[in-house]
Amino acid sequence: PEALPAMRALALLLLALVAGCATAYYQPIPAPRSRVGKSAFVTMRGGAGKKVIIAGAPASGKGTQCEMIKTEFGLVHLSTGDMLRAAVAEGTEVGKKAKSYMDGGKLVPDEVIIGVVQDRLAMDDCKEQGWLLDGFPRTGVQAEALKAANIDPDVVIYLNVPDEMLIERVVGRRMDPETGLIYHLKFDPPPKEIEDRVTQRSDDTAEKAKVRLEQFHEHLGAILDAYKEITVEIDGTQAKKDVFGEISKLLAPEPVAKK
């Protein structure tokens, strides 16, 4: 009887050891990591950092889409007019050349414009965020000059809209001179309280729109040929959100497999 407490203590110790071993042995095995996760995909390639050219006739919706692309994907939105004015204001070498032509009322030659574009695209924000060239190149010669300067876009987006719809869009455009907001008599009418003050631009007529469209079509084929491997045509007659939906699919980030 005197040995019972000692035997009971030994038995309890043995049970504790067995339970501890069992717990250690039956620890759940960690689930294997997904192959589609951080271990497989480490960086993203998409809108950020992309180099994009967007082309389209006057009133094709290019300006609207550029604003949406800039907001959603953070690309640096660039137009030749803005770049020329900035280069002139900063007094760069190509800016001085451009100014001499502009002051003389002459067209700035392609080689000077290409120099302005090249300088701007070499800036840090374009390198880091990517860029969106709006309406440039305008001719096949300019497209080839961009290639020669090693300015190569990832994608060229062409907004295709029939001429009759483009003319309808142009003729119906109205601007509020107090706010600068643009309306359309059919598609986006101005509010009643301002409809009497909205104005029409002097060149927003059917006749002048046709002239601009003739000039656009004269050069369009050469531009698209220069980038035929990377050009994506989008139906610009759709609602702007649907057009942007298609553009977003082109620019949306996609996973890049780790090497």
Side-chain angles (χ1 to χ4, degrees):
E2 294 178 356
L4 283 176
M7 292 176 65
R8 190 178 293 115
L10 180 60
L12 290 172
L13 179 59
L14 288 171
L15 285 171
L17 288 171
V18 170
C21 291
T23 302
Y25 184 78
Y26 288 107
Q27 285 294 325
I29 299 171
R33 290 186 179 182
S34 168
R35 298 186 66 180
V36 183
K38 289 184 179 178
S39 60
F41 300 115
V42 292
T43 56
M44 301 300 288
R45 177 178 57 214
K50 272 196 180 288
K51 298 171 288 184
V52 181
I53 289 174
I54 187 166
S60 63
K62 229 168 7 76
T64 298
Q65 295 303 320
C66 283
E67 284 301 312
M68 296 169 80
I69 292 168
K70 180 176 69 173
T71 300
E72 180 68 20
F73 296 103
L75 303 185
V76 179
H77 179 207
L78 302 168
S79 70
T80 50
D82 290 342
M83 285 186 281
L84 280 170
R85 284 187 288 273
V88 170
E90 290 165 11
T92 65
E93 197 60 41
V94 288
K96 291 174 183 176
K97 290 180 182 178
K99 187 176 187 300
S100 67
Y101 288 99
M102 294 161 73
D103 288 349
K106 300 175 183 177
L107 288 174
V108 180
D110 284 346
E111 61 268 22
V112 176
I113 294 177
I114 296 296
V116 169
V117 173
Q118 200 168 14
D119 283 358
R120 182 64 185 88
L121 297 185
M123 293 184 182
D124 288 343
D125 58 345
C126 289
K127 289 179 179 179
E128 294 167 5
Q129 298 170 227
W131 46 261
L132 174 64
L133 264 181
D134 178 0
F136 187 85
R138 287 189 171 88
T139 68
V141 172
Q142 290 176 345
E144 293 302 330
L146 281 182
K147 285 187 168 186
N150 295 316
I151 299 172
D152 299 310
D154 296 313
V155 63
V156 174
I157 298 168
Y158 168 48
L159 302 181
N160 191 5
V161 181
D163 283 4
E164 57 270 21
M165 182 175 284
L166 291 168
I167 291 171
E168 183 182 22
R169 289 180 179 181
V170 167
V171 173
R173 270 196 308 220
R174 296 293 185 273
M175 184 184 75
D176 179 357
E178 292 189 13
T179 64
L181 293 175
I182 303 295
Y183 298 94
H184 192 280
L185 296 181
K186 178 179 178 180
F187 305 117
D188 183 21
K192 289 284 185 185
E193 59 270 22
I194 68 164
E195 61 183 11
D196 291 336
R197 75 173 184 233
V198 296
T199 59
Q200 183 180 31
R201 276 174 32 178
S202 60
D203 58 346
D204 276 354
T205 64
E207 294 74 21
K208 291 183 179 178
K210 287 176 182 176
V211 172
R212 295 201 297 271
L213 286 173
E214 285 173 6
Q215 294 172 342
F216 173 75
H217 289 302
E218 181 183 349
H219 299 291
L220 177 63
I223 296 168
L224 297 184
D225 281 347
Y227 297 111
K228 57 188 173 185
E229 301 298 327
I230 56 170
T231 296
V232 178
E233 182 176 318
I234 292 178
D235 179 4
T237 66
Q238 305 174 90
K240 62 183 179 183
K241 65 178 179 60
D242 296 324
V243 173
F244 184 64
E246 292 196 34
I247 291 174
S248 294
K249 290 176 185 176
L250 295 174
L251 304 184
E254 57 190 42
V256 179
K258 183 169 66 176
K259 295 180 181 179

